[in-house]
Amino acid sequence: MKTIVRATNSVPGLLNLGNSCFLNAVLQALASCPSCTSWLLKSVEYADEQQNKNCFLIKSILTVLSALNGSDDNCSGAEVIKALRSHRWIISHEEHDAHELFHVLTTTVEEELVALNPVTSLLDTKKLENENADLATEPKKTFVSTPKTLPVRLAFPMRGLLVNELKCNSCNFKHPARYDSFDSITLTIPSQNNGKLTLHDLLLKFISCELIQDVVCETCPKNDPPSENGDQTVKTTFTQQVSFGKLPECLCIHIQRTVWLKNGLSVKCHDIVSFPEVLIMDYFVHSHSQKDKQLGASYSRLRLTGGNSSKNSQNTMDVHPPSEPAAKLSTDLSESLKNALPLNLSNRELLGSYKYMYLLKAVIVHLGGVSSGHFITYRRVGANKQNEKWFYTSDLEVKEVPFSEVSAACAYMLFYEKMR
């Protein structure tokens, strides 16, 4: 029989419903993020205002997270599983991935929120016309229209935007930036590394330039005369880059640890990736000029900006494509980050110089191999540095641990929350 370890002033454990550690790990991590609990509470209040009683998943998650932050008894995620199944998700008693479940939760919660807003149909047109006519004759009457979108106060705390930019290296033509939403970002571990990987290294790799060969550019000068096959199009090399256009209030980072071998088999990567207690994201956002200075003009994204005179604007077209390998540039910036960025809360004198600072709230770790294993969560408890504690949670097993144990963990998912 497994021994249940409980610490003084501990957090509750979660019952294992049959290989449900993947669910328990995610719920414990979310319970550590006040922005998630606050958002769920506002969503339930909004649902009650709309007299909507179908937000089963939102209410079940809120109930569990509230219990994990204030109950002395062990909790269960059974109602969350039940709510997911009511949305036709097939949740078996087999082992599942915690990151996949995280996306299932965020996707389904969003579906419930969208369902809160009734869509006005053509049949409602006559009614709206009559109500507008009444406004003309009764000025004091209040008219409330049907909401078409969720109120700003319900902005999803884990929703961010990635900026995808594409530029021709021959004529410097730049396509309009494309914005893609995300609830979490997946970082890959390079196959060749020196064994001293950091989270900053993976983030630099995530935003590094990628060269795309043999792309037809519509703005490059055409071949004159035409080629032998009569084609006048020009194929050139484009540079593609991804950066953060909008950072969420709660940043979830997934470290991909499944590696596919040449023979088609998959194995788990156990490389340790060190991560800071305070994560500085200033260098990875779309419009951070300091990063461009560190990387050099050759790495600049050639943004489309307005407000300068036409004479000054022409200077942006004189910047040449990257002349140095992206790997070297990433290495140089990585070294500068290590020297400049605070690694913990003790360097408070440096924190004021950064805009996008995130505090580590939870770490999910996968124990075992690629096809079978167990998920555990380290979670932060406490509102400030003086009374904060870190707890190891593994289903019903809960114990207090030092941060040194947390920082040495082989992280699978990291949860950061924006510092005020």
Side-chain angles (χ1 to χ4, degrees):
M1 182 177 179
K2 189 174 182 180
T3 302
I4 300 176
V5 181
R6 297 297 299 275
T8 306
N9 298 324
S10 177
V11 298
L14 278 166
L15 296 171
N16 193 309
L17 307 173
N19 290 324
S20 65
C21 65
F22 65 98
L23 170 66
N24 294 345
V26 173
L27 291 176
Q28 289 281 14
L30 294 178
S32 301
C33 304
S35 61
C36 294
T37 304
S38 176
W39 177 80
L40 289 168
L41 181 60
K42 292 178 181 178
S43 299
V44 170
E45 292 175 351
Y46 179 72
D48 292 340
E49 291 175 3
Q50 302 299 314
Q51 297 183 347
N52 188 304
K53 301 180 180 180
N54 296 323
C55 295
F56 301 122
L57 181 59
I58 295 176
K59 293 180 179 180
S60 62
I61 296 177
L62 178 60
T63 300
V64 176
L65 298 193
S66 300
L68 289 175
N69 285 323
S71 173
D72 293 329
D73 299 324
N74 292 320
C75 310
S76 169
E79 290 300 314
V80 177
I81 293 291
K82 182 179 178 181
L84 287 174
R85 287 172 176 166
S86 69
H87 283 276
R88 299 182 298 279
W89 287 104
I90 300 175
I91 310 294
S92 65
H93 291 290
E94 299 177 355
E95 296 184 23
H96 296 280
D97 181 59
H99 183 238
E100 291 181 358
L101 175 79
F102 173 80
H103 279 297
V104 167
L105 291 177
T106 56
T107 301
T108 312
V109 162
E110 187 174 27
E111 290 177 356
E112 287 192 343
L113 286 178
V114 171
L116 292 179
N117 286 320
V119 179
T120 304
S121 67
L122 293 177
L123 297 176
D124 299 319
T125 304
K126 189 65 177 177
K127 178 181 177 181
L128 292 175
E129 289 179 351
N130 293 337
E131 290 176 337
N132 285 327
D134 292 338
L135 284 176
T137 57
E138 301 179 20
K140 295 183 180 181
K141 184 177 179 180
T142 302
F143 173 70
V144 180
S145 61
T146 302
K148 296 180 180 179
T149 58
L150 290 172
V152 177
R153 61 175 178 156
L154 290 183
F156 195 42
M158 294 186 172
R159 180 63 47 80
L161 290 176
L162 291 175
V163 184
N164 194 314
E165 299 173 288
L166 196 64
K167 178 179 71 70
C168 176
N169 290 343
S170 296
C171 67
N172 284 331
F173 170 75
K174 186 176 179 182
H175 287 273
R178 189 184 80 237
Y179 290 80
D180 300 307
S181 63
F182 69 90
D183 297 331
S184 70
I185 59 169
T186 296
L187 304 180
T188 57
I189 299 176
S191 56
Q192 296 181 351
N193 59 75
N194 58 8
K196 297 181 180 179
L197 290 170
T198 68
L199 185 61
H200 294 121
D201 294 330
L202 301 191
L203 286 169
L204 285 172
K205 184 176 183 296
F206 182 76
I207 68 168
S208 62
C209 292
E210 177 183 0
L211 297 180
I212 305 177
Q213 308 286 344
D214 298 329
V215 180
V216 176
C217 181
E218 298 177 355
T219 62
C220 278
K222 307 300 180 183
N223 288 328
D224 190 20
S227 58
E228 296 179 359
N229 58 4
D231 187 10
Q232 284 188 296
T233 58
V234 177
K235 290 187 177 180
T236 182
T237 300
F238 273 64
T239 299
Q240 183 180 33
Q241 183 162 31
V242 174
S243 58
F244 293 89
K246 179 184 177 183
L247 287 167
E249 187 173 0
C250 185
L251 177 63
C252 175
I253 299 176
H254 165 237
I255 300 177
Q256 179 62 264
R257 294 195 172 274
T258 301
V259 179
W260 295 91
L261 304 179
K262 294 182 179 180
N263 58 7
L265 296 178
S266 60
V267 296
K268 180 181 175 181
C269 176
H270 294 271
D271 292 358
I272 297 295
V273 177
S274 62
F275 47 89
E277 186 178 8
V278 176
L279 176 64
I280 308 297
M281 291 295 294
D282 291 53
Y283 287 84
F284 309 106
V285 297
H286 175 59
S287 58
H288 194 268
S289 58
Q290 183 64 28
K291 176 170 77 278
D292 291 336
K293 293 178 182 178
Q294 298 248 5
L295 291 171
S298 62
Y299 196 75
S300 178
R301 296 193 182 90
L302 300 176
R303 301 183 188 87
L304 293 178
T305 57
N308 294 326
S309 65
S310 59
K311 180 179 179 180
N312 293 334
S313 299
Q314 291 176 356
N315 294 333
T316 60
M317 299 304 294
D318 297 331
V319 181
H320 299 289
S323 57
E324 299 182 49
K328 184 179 184 304
L329 290 169
S330 296
T331 301
D332 294 341
L333 180 57
S334 179
E335 290 300 321
S336 67
L337 284 172
K338 292 176 183 177
N339 296 329
L341 297 183
L343 298 179
N344 52 57
L345 290 174
S346 61
N347 301 324
R348 293 184 180 275
E349 66 276 5
L350 295 177
L351 296 181
S353 60
Y354 297 101
K355 183 178 180 181
Y356 303 101
M357 300 181 297
Y358 285 81
L359 180 64
L360 182 66
K361 289 293 185 177
V363 181
I364 294 180
V365 178
H366 178 262
L367 307 175
V370 68
S371 58
S372 180
H374 179 66
F375 289 101
I376 63 98
T377 298
Y378 292 100
R379 55 170 296 192
R380 179 193 295 269
V381 177
N384 51 59
K385 189 68 177 177
Q386 286 70 32
N387 62 7
E388 74 171 17
K389 296 180 180 179
W390 278 93
F391 289 94
Y392 166 97
T393 64
S394 174
D395 294 335
L396 290 176
E397 182 181 358
V398 178
K399 60 182 179 180
E400 186 177 350
V401 296
F403 180 71
S404 58
E405 178 178 330
V406 180
S407 61
C410 186
Y412 180 61
M413 295 178 69
L414 298 165
F415 291 79
Y416 286 90
E417 197 164 55
K418 197 171 189 304
M419 299 175 65
R420 297 295 183 265

